[in-house]
């Protein structure tokens, strides 16, 4: 593959010159309003940003981007590239979870050492409120570009970037303690969008629809930059719009006759669960021929369910395209090509042999067999080796090993981390082959050249497309109730539950934790001399709340085990994989186990539209919220305190957005995602919504 343009800037400048009136991107706001921008306007606004950056004083360091999803982010990012500055896309601080999002932002700023912050007016105003908590951020120079507020830099007054210059630092997600900025050059970006084009064989009338976060590698490269580079129509939504109501994404694919769109595995499952048959019947997905699935483990059941659910809409099973990628390789690594109409591939392997890192094929659906989904093939200009991660030798065709990659898409290393860069990005085999990127993923290549991912060498947990480092979650768990939990004695891992990766927490308790007496059922302390035992139900509730608040994850199971019973190495390190195996086999020395669905209401959470009449009082809204929260959090209705903030109930961010989406359908009013932050309790939210409903029902003159 050869690049058609030297950089993304060259591509946008070319299209702005040749077809300035052509629409580059259309942003769809959460009300469904369309906001198009042409290549001419995109180029002009990017040059406005470049002019502001050129006039900014101080050192020419990286530029931190703090924008919500939308056109402002796009022009800000391109403006950095135009100005030959290193862009640092970041999740903007979340006002509903500031204690979680602000430390992550601060750790990125400490690592990247930016000199300037580019931000929207709304975020700039909001930042003044947390300035005291983040003096490092507050001390940076803040710029808020306005489309008509400055003169764009002249088209011939700036020098276009060179391919080998750094374009951005893509920070790894999930770790709040040690973020790593991946150094991506302009050439890396161009070659990755060329790879996407190679896989899709983009059509002349290509149309895409995306809600993927622009600050994430897949959302930025594959969903946002590739359409600009190739020159086809792209529709951009917000992640919140999708999570509130997944139907919006599928409906937009139908409405705009989209040919390509993609998301992590969980999103396809969500579309099936949240869309009723009558809603699907009105859709036309006959042109949707490249439905890529990436960023988390891909489940064959998910692919089959989605194909079956939307078959009546004209969707074909072979349009599902499982892919593989990682930020260290810019974004995309492999995937099936669009001309191949044979559909996605899978194999059945002996599960017991998989545990031994051996590839032994099994008959379809046979006992003790596990089905794996293929992630396509690598392009001709990439090399993949399967290597023993300890001995650093290339393994045989019937062995599983770490995936090592050499490709023009592989980034340059980690910002400010030369030793880690040498270890991860410049690895060599025992026979001297290299350099290669060590992906940290385990897999094998089948005889027909298909790449299969079998697991992760690292203990990384991927929940709904986002990476989470177990040590971060374990720290949160231990700090949730220090008096009751033993430090350094927790294990976090994921398991497959109904085709979805879910979180399990195993934690040792202190000896004064109470347990149920086998004789009379009363709570008694383990140590007779302690008279103040701690209720294990409260401890588990504390853990669930802390993990939901800090990491946005709802645990599937929490297991309290006896002191000194958690599995460790001889040097004292927790053995997460061994704990996982013991959990699945029921071999943990458990004192108390909480599993999702083991408490509270058995009524399922609403699927799709919420039935019922419109409310006439705040009390009815309160009752609805209590009922829904109890069902979603698996609590008895009496466990939902009207006066407690939502975050202390253990409501995760994605659960909160789904709740808002169902509320909107029931009440018939739009609810901003930040409303639960401004009205943080059931009582205050119900009162606010009752007023909003009353105002919406007033006749207009």
């Amino acid at each position: 593959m050869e690049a058609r343009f030297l950089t993304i800037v060259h591509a946008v400048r070319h299209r702005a010159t040749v077809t300035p009136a052509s629409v580059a991107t259309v942003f769809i706001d959460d009300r469904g309003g369309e906001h198009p921008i042409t290549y001419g306007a995109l180029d002009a606004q990017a040059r406005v940003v470049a002019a502001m950056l050129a006039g900014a004083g101080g050192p020419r360091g990286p530029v931190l981007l703090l924008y919500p999803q939308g056109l402002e982010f796009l022009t800000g990012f391109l403006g950095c590239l135009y100005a030959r500055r290193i862009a640092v896309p970041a999740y903007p601080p979340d006002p509903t979870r500031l204690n979680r999002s602000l430390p992550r932002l601060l750790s990125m700023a400490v690592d990247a050492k930016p000199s300037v912050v580019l931000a929207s007016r709304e975020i700039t105003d909001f930042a003044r409120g947390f300035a005291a908590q983040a003096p490092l951020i507050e001390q940076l120079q803040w710029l808020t570009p306005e489309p008509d507020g400055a003169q764009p830099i002249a088209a011939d007054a700036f020098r276009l970037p060179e391919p080998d210059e750094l374009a951005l630092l893509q920070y790894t997600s999930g770790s709040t303690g040690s973020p790593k900025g991946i150094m991506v050059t302009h050439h890396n970006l161009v070659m990755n969008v060329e790879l996407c084009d190679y896989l899709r064989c983009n059509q002349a009338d290509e149309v895409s629809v995306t809600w993927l976060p622009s600050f994430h590698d897949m959302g930025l490269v594959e969903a946002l930059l590739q359409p600009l580079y190739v020159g086809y129509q792209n529709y951009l939504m917000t992640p919140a719009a999708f999570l509130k109501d997944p139907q919006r994404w599928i409906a937009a694919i139908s409405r705009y006759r989209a040919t390509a769109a993609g998301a992590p595995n969980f999103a396809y499952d969500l579309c099936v669960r949240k869309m009723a048959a009558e809603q699907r019947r009105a859709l036309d997905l006959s042109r949707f021929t490249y439905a890529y699935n990436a960023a988390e483990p891909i489940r064959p059941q998910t692919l089959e369910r989605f194909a079956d659910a939307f078959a009546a809409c004209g969707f074909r099973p072979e349009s599902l395209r499982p892919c593989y990628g990682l930020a260290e390789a810019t974004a995309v690594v492999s995937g099936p090509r669009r001309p191949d109409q044979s559909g996605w591939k899978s194999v059945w392997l002996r599960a017991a042999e998989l545990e031994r890192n051996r590839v032994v094929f099994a008959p379809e659906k046979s006992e003790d067999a596990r089905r794996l989904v293929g992630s396509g093939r690598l392009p001709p200009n990439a090399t993949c080796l399967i290597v023993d991660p300890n001995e650093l030798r290339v393994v045989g065709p019937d062995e599983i090993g770490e995936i090592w990659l050499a490709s023009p898409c592989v980034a340059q290393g980690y910002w400010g981390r030369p030793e880690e860069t040498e270890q991860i990005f410049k690895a060599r085999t025992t026979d001297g082959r290299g350099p290669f990127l060590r992906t940290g993923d385990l897999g094998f290549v089948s005889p027909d050249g298909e790449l299969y991912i079998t697991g992760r060498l690292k203990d990384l947990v991927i929940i709904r497309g986002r990476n989470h480092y177990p040590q971060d979650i374990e720290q949160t768990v231990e700090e949730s109730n220090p008096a009751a939990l033993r430090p350094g004695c927790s294990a976090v891992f994921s398991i497959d539950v109904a085709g979805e990766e879910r979180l399990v927490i195993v934690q040792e308790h202190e000896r004064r934790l109470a347990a149920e007496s086998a004789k009379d059922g009363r709570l008694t302390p383990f140590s007779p001399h302690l008279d103040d035992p701690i209720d294990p139900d409260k401890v588990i509730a504390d853990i669930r709340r802390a993990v939901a608040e800090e990491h946005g994850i709802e645990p599937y199971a929490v297991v309290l085990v006896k002191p000194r019973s958690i599995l460790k190495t001889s040097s004292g390190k927790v053995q997460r994989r061994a704990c996982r195996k013991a959990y699945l086999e029921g071999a943990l020395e458990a004192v108390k186990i909480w599993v999702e669905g083991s408490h509270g209401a058995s009524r399922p959470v609403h699927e799709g539209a919420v039935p019922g009449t419109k409310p006439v009082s705040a009390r009815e809204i309160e009752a609805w919220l209590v009922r829904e929260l109890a069902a979603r959090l698996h609590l008895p209705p009496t466990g939902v305190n009207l006066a407690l903030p939502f975050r202390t109930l253990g409501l995760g961010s994605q659960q909160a957005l789904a709740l808002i989406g169902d509320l909107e359908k029931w009440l018939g009013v739009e609810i901003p995602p930040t409303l639960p932050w401004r009205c943080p309790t059931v009582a205050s939210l119900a009162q606010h919504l009752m007023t909003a409903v009353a105002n919406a029902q007033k006749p207009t003159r």
Side-chain angles (χ1 to χ4, degrees):
M1 293 183 299
E2 293 186 2
R4 284 162 282 184
F5 300 99
L6 287 178
T7 70
I8 299 292
V9 175
H10 286 76
V12 175
R13 292 283 301 126
H14 169 78
R15 302 198 184 284
T17 302
V18 176
T19 57
S22 295
V23 173
T25 300
V26 179
F27 176 63
I28 306 170
D29 63 33
D30 288 0
R31 297 183 179 183
E34 298 180 4
H35 307 272
I37 187 169
T38 65
Y39 279 101
L42 185 60
D43 173 66
Q45 291 184 28
R47 286 189 284 118
V48 167
V49 177
M52 295 184 71
L53 290 172
R60 289 177 55 83
V63 177
L64 189 63
L65 298 176
L66 292 181
Y67 288 105
Q69 185 104 326
L71 298 180
E72 280 186 295
F73 173 88
L74 179 58
T75 56
F77 178 81
L78 289 176
C80 288
L81 303 192
Y82 273 50
R84 303 178 70 186
R85 302 288 289 271
I86 303 171
V88 185
Y91 283 87
D94 183 353
T96 65
R97 297 180 180 274
L98 197 58
N99 62 333
R100 173 187 165 211
S101 59
L102 187 55
R104 180 173 59 197
L105 178 61
L106 283 171
S107 60
M108 286 179 57
V110 168
D111 190 73
K113 297 178 175 59
S115 56
V116 175
V117 178
L118 281 178
S120 66
R121 177 64 61 192
E122 179 184 17
I123 290 175
T124 302
D125 292 341
F126 172 60
R128 296 191 181 101
F130 63 74
Q133 299 171 256
L136 174 64
I137 299 290
E138 197 266 340
Q139 290 165 9
L140 297 174
Q141 185 175 5
W142 285 66
L143 299 178
T144 307
E146 303 288 350
D148 303 318
Q151 185 66 29
I153 193 169
D156 58 354
F158 66 95
R159 187 159 63 89
L160 294 172
E162 298 293 335
D164 60 350
E165 293 177 9
L166 288 184
L168 77 145
L169 299 180
Q170 180 68 64
Y171 272 83
T172 54
S173 60
S175 176
T176 59
S178 55
K180 290 182 285 191
I182 299 164
M183 299 185 290
V184 180
T185 66
H186 287 273
H187 184 63
N188 292 146
L189 280 178
V190 163
M191 294 311 295
N192 211 244
V193 296
E194 287 284 5
L195 169 56
C196 296
D197 186 53
Y198 167 81
L199 295 177
R200 292 188 192 178
C201 298
N202 286 295
Q203 307 162 5
D205 59 346
E206 195 84 36
V207 178
S208 63
V209 177
T210 183
W211 56 267
L212 297 173
S214 300
F215 353 90
H216 185 268
D217 56 332
M218 185 165 72
L220 175 64
V221 178
E222 189 163 10
L224 196 62
L225 297 184
Q226 195 215 359
L228 294 179
Y229 182 89
V230 177
Y232 60 82
Q233 188 75 71
N234 185 33
Y235 292 87
L236 176 65
M237 305 168 60
T238 68
F242 169 76
L243 292 170
K244 285 165 64 176
D245 186 0
Q247 180 190 356
R248 296 181 184 182
W249 181 46
I250 300 296
I253 292 172
S254 173
R255 182 185 316 117
Y256 299 116
R257 307 280 291 158
T259 56
N265 192 83
F266 86 90
Y268 290 93
D269 261 334
L270 205 57
C271 290
V272 174
R273 296 203 315 266
K274 299 289 282 187
M275 292 185 67
E278 57 269 20
Q279 293 174 309
R280 297 196 294 265
R281 274 195 287 269
L283 301 176
D284 179 5
L285 302 183
S286 59
R287 294 191 75 239
F288 188 17
T289 56
Y290 204 93
Y292 58 93
N293 182 333
E296 66 178 358
I298 300 168
R299 314 293 184 183
Q301 303 95 325
T302 298
L303 302 178
E304 291 172 340
R305 282 194 294 262
F306 187 88
D308 290 344
F310 292 95
C313 311
F315 184 80
R316 295 179 291 279
E318 60 268 21
S319 298
L320 287 162
R321 309 285 173 165
C323 301
Y324 168 67
L326 68 163
E328 283 83 352
T330 303
V332 184
V333 170
S334 67
R337 297 196 73 195
R338 181 181 251 145
D340 182 2
Q341 294 300 313
S342 61
W344 53 277
K345 300 180 185 298
S346 68
V347 293
W348 292 84
L349 301 179
R350 294 290 182 196
E353 295 298 325
L354 269 176
E355 295 293 329
R356 301 183 182 95
N357 288 328
R358 302 284 299 178
V359 179
V360 179
F361 295 98
E364 184 176 329
K365 298 181 181 178
S366 60
E367 190 175 346
D368 187 37
R370 179 180 163 196
R371 190 182 185 191
L372 296 179
V373 175
S375 297
R377 300 185 181 190
L378 273 75
N381 63 348
T383 301
C384 170
L385 297 181
I386 306 300
V387 179
D388 184 296
N390 299 313
E391 299 178 4
L392 305 187
R393 62 172 178 84
V394 178
V395 303
D398 60 346
E399 293 180 82
I400 292 168
E402 184 182 9
I403 298 166
W404 286 25
L405 179 68
S407 158
C409 298
V410 171
Q412 307 310 296
Y414 295 123
W415 177 260
R417 296 170 183 262
E419 292 183 1
E420 288 185 67
T421 295
E422 191 72 23
Q423 294 170 0
I424 302 300
F425 287 84
K426 300 179 182 180
R428 291 187 178 274
T429 61
T430 51
D431 58 4
R433 280 184 272 181
F436 285 93
L437 166 69
R438 297 189 63 166
T439 67
D441 292 308
L442 299 172
F444 66 94
V445 177
S446 65
D448 63 355
E450 189 84 3
L451 177 65
Y452 288 86
I453 313 299
T454 61
R456 286 182 292 277
L457 180 64
K458 299 171 286 188
D459 290 320
L460 198 65
V461 173
I462 302 179
I463 303 291
R464 295 196 163 189
R466 291 200 60 193
N467 297 344
H468 299 272
Y469 290 86
Q471 60 267 27
D472 293 340
I473 302 175
E474 288 160 359
Q475 181 178 348
T476 298
V477 169
E478 292 166 12
E479 293 175 351
S480 67
N481 194 327
L485 303 174
R486 290 168 58 85
C489 298
S490 61
V492 164
F493 50 84
S494 62
I495 63 171
D496 187 296
V497 180
E500 183 180 0
E501 195 163 2
R502 299 298 304 275
L503 185 73
V504 176
I505 298 166
V506 179
Q507 170 68 56
E508 285 187 10
H509 65 76
E510 289 287 6
R511 284 199 174 274
R512 66 193 185 100
L513 183 65
E516 289 190 10
S517 168
K519 295 181 179 179
D520 54 16
R522 292 181 302 172
L523 290 176
T524 59
F526 281 104
S527 300
H529 64 278
L530 292 175
D531 298 322
D532 186 22
I534 299 171
D535 182 359
D537 289 325
K538 179 183 182 304
V539 173
I540 289 176
D542 290 341
I543 290 173
R544 292 173 55 207
R545 279 195 294 267
V547 172
E549 182 177 345
E550 293 295 324
H551 303 277
I553 311 174
E554 300 82 41
Y556 170 74
V558 180
V559 184
L560 292 180
V561 295
K562 293 180 179 180
R564 300 184 180 87
S565 70
I566 202 163
L567 299 169
K568 293 186 177 184
T569 65
S570 57
S571 61
K573 295 180 180 178
V574 173
Q575 295 178 300
R576 297 188 184 99
R577 293 188 184 183
C579 289
R580 180 181 185 275
K581 184 173 184 290
Y583 171 81
L584 293 173
E585 295 175 351
L588 293 171
E589 295 186 56
V591 172
K592 187 77 175 183
I593 301 176
W594 175 90
V595 179
E596 183 179 272
S598 60
H599 296 287
S602 59
R603 184 184 61 82
V605 176
H606 286 307
E607 306 286 15
V610 181
T613 58
K614 292 291 185 296
V616 295
S617 70
R619 187 175 295 278
E620 286 180 284
I621 300 177
E622 280 185 5
W624 188 94
L625 285 168
V626 168
R627 188 170 62 249
E628 289 299 312
L629 285 167
R632 293 165 199 260
L633 297 174
H634 304 281
L635 297 169
T638 54
V640 179
N641 190 323
L642 302 186
L644 283 179
F646 291 110
R647 59 183 179 83
T648 65
L649 295 172
L651 190 69
S653 56
Q654 291 175 340
Q655 280 185 320
L657 286 170
L659 181 71
I660 290 172
D662 283 346
L663 261 175
E664 285 183 334
K665 292 178 182 178
W666 183 45
L667 298 176
V669 297
E670 183 181 5
I671 304 172
T674 56
L675 185 59
W677 170 64
R678 291 188 279 121
C679 303
T681 67
V682 170
S684 61
L685 180 60
Q687 188 59 52
H688 178 93
L689 290 174
M690 190 63 249
T691 303
V693 170
N695 290 337
Q697 293 173 346
K698 288 181 180 178
T700 56
R701 295 182 180 180

